[in-house]
C-alpha cells in the first residue's frame, strides 16, 4: 500500500499513520518528524531547516524533496509506505511523481484529512510530544498515565514549540495557501479521497479500515 496523507497540521494524520504503519507493516515517513530529528542531531539539513520549522513556515522544496527521495530509496519501502506531511506543494507532488515513476511505483490513495481551524487549534494546543521517542499524546483525549512522563519510554513529554497557538495559526495559514493546487493535482489523477478528520481518532481509524478494505482489499 502506497499512501499519501494530506491535511492541515493537527488533522490527525500522524496518529492514523502510526496505526496504519503497524497494521500493514509499512514505514511511516513523516517529513516533520525527519526534520525534528535532524534539528535535534544538529545535521546540515537540520541547521538549514531549523528556522523554518520553528516559525511554522515551509522548508524550501529542494531541501525536502531531496530528503524524501533519499528516504524512498531505502529498502523498507519495497512493500509500501505512508507519506505524512509530504507533498505540501504542487512542485513537491510533481517531484514525487518523477521519483516514483523512476522507481516504477504508483500511489494507491491520497487521503485528504478534512477538518476546521477550531478543531485544529484545540487539538494542537493540547498535544504533547515525548522529547525522547516522539510518541504523541493529548492532555484531554490521550493523556499519559503519569503527567509529563511518556508511557512508552519514560521520557519527558512537552509542548512542541510550533504547537504554540500563534505558530499553529501560521501553520494553518501556510497550509491553506498551498493546499488547493495540491488537492486539484491529485483530484485530476483520480486518487483523491476526503475523510472527516473532525471525528475522534478511534472513530476515524474504523472508517479508514473500512475504506482500505473497499479500495485495496
Ligand atoms: P509537521 O509535523 O508535518 O506539521 O511539520 C513540521 C514542520 O516541518 C512544518 O511546519 C515545516 O516547517 C516542516 N515541513 C514538514 N514537511 C514539509 C514539507 N513537505 N515541505 C516543507 N516543509 C515541511
Amino acid at each position: 500500500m502506497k499512501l499519501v496523507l494530506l491535511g492541515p497540521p493537527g488533522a490527525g494524520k500522524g496518529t492514523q499513520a502510526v496505526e496504519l504503519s503497524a497494521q500493514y507493516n509499512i514505514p511511516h515517513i513523516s517529513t516533520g518528524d525527519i526534520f525534528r530529528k535532524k534539528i535535534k542531531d544538529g545535521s546540515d539539513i537540520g541547521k538549514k531547516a531549523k528556522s523554518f520549522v520553528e516559525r511554522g513556515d515551509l522548508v524550501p522544496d529542494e531541501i525536502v524533496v531531496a530528503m524524501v527521495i533519499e528516504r524512498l530509496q531505502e529498502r523498507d519501502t519495497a512493500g509500501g509506505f505512508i507519506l505524512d506531511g509530504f507533498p505540501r506543494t504542487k512542485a513537491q507532488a510533481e517531484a514525487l511523481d518523477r521519483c516514483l515513476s523512476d522507481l516504477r511505483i504508483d500511489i494507491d490513495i491520497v487521503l485528504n484529512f478534512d477538518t476546521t481551524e477550531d478543531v485544529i487549534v484545540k487539538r494542537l494546543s493540547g498535544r504533547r510530544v515525548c522529547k525522547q521517542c516522539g510518541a504523541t499524546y493529548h492532555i484531554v483525549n490521550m493523556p499519559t498515565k503519569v503527567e509529563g512522563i511518556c508511557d512508552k519510554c519514560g521520557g519527558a513529554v512537552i509542548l512542541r514549540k510550533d504547537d504554540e497557538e500563534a505558530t499553529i495559526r501560521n501553520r494553518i495559514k501556510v497550509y491553506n495557501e498551498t493546499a488547493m493546487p495540491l488537492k486539484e493535482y491529485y483530484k485530476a489523477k483520480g486518487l483523491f479521497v476526503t475523510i472527516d478528520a473532525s471525528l475522534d481518532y478511534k472513530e476515524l481509524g474504523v472508517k479508514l479500515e473500512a475504506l482500505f478494505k473497499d479500495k485495496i482489499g
Side-chain angles (χ1 to χ4, degrees):
M1 176 155 71
K2 289 104 188 166
L3 205 60
V4 170
L5 308 186
L6 293 189
K13 304 186 298 297
T15 308
Q16 297 301 331
V18 169
E19 301 280 327
L20 292 169
S21 163
Q23 198 175 335
Y24 291 95
N25 197 22
I26 49 177
H28 166 206
I29 303 176
S30 153
T31 41
D33 285 350
I34 301 176
F35 280 131
R36 280 183 287 278
K37 180 161 189 315
K38 289 192 184 288
I39 292 170
K40 200 170 153 206
D41 295 347
S43 73
D44 280 352
I45 292 183
K47 281 180 196 145
K48 286 185 193 152
K50 189 168 191 279
S51 62
F52 295 97
V53 173
E54 286 182 350
R55 286 195 305 269
D57 288 339
L58 291 185
V59 176
D61 284 342
E62 63 274 15
I63 298 178
V64 65
V65 165
M67 191 174 85
V68 172
I69 289 178
E70 200 182 305
R71 178 65 186 88
L72 285 174
Q73 288 172 13
E74 284 178 33
R75 282 189 171 191
D76 64 344
T77 62
F81 51 79
I82 305 168
L83 279 175
D84 164 12
F86 181 92
R88 263 181 160 91
T89 63
K90 190 170 165 224
Q92 291 180 12
E94 288 166 347
L96 175 66
D97 275 352
R98 285 193 294 276
C99 165
L100 293 181
S101 114
D102 289 347
L103 297 170
R104 296 198 166 67
I105 291 173
D106 290 318
I107 292 170
D108 295 308
I109 305 183
V110 175
L111 265 185
N112 175 43
F113 284 57
D114 186 38
T115 184
T116 65
E117 184 158 341
D118 278 354
V119 170
I120 295 170
V121 172
K122 245 183 230 151
R123 274 196 193 146
L124 289 188
S125 51
R127 176 160 79 175
R128 297 293 180 270
V129 183
C130 174
K131 233 175 141 176
Q132 202 158 289
C133 75
T136 55
Y137 299 92
H138 188 279
I139 49 174
V140 179
N141 306 332
M142 216 199 290
T144 50
K145 292 193 184 103
V146 179
E147 203 186 320
I149 306 288
C150 178
D151 294 353
K152 295 187 179 127
C153 76
V157 171
I158 55 154
L159 174 70
R160 250 167 62 180
K161 206 171 159 83
D162 62 345
D163 281 347
E164 287 165 13
E165 187 164 339
T167 316
I168 295 173
R169 302 248 178 226
N170 186 45
R171 289 164 68 200
I172 296 171
K173 184 175 143 269
V174 168
Y175 175 78
N176 288 334
E177 282 163 6
T178 53
M180 195 51 84
L182 192 56
K183 290 181 190 172
E184 294 305 326
Y185 181 80
Y186 284 123
K187 272 186 199 161
K189 287 180 171 277
L191 296 171
F192 193 78
V193 178
T194 289
I195 47 161
D196 177 7
S198 303
L199 295 173
D200 89 50
Y201 79 97
K202 280 194 185 138
E203 287 174 298
L204 189 55
V206 172
K207 293 238 162 177
L208 287 181
E209 205 169 312
L211 177 85
F212 292 136
K213 273 214 180 99
D214 190 38
K215 286 250 169 204
I216 298 175

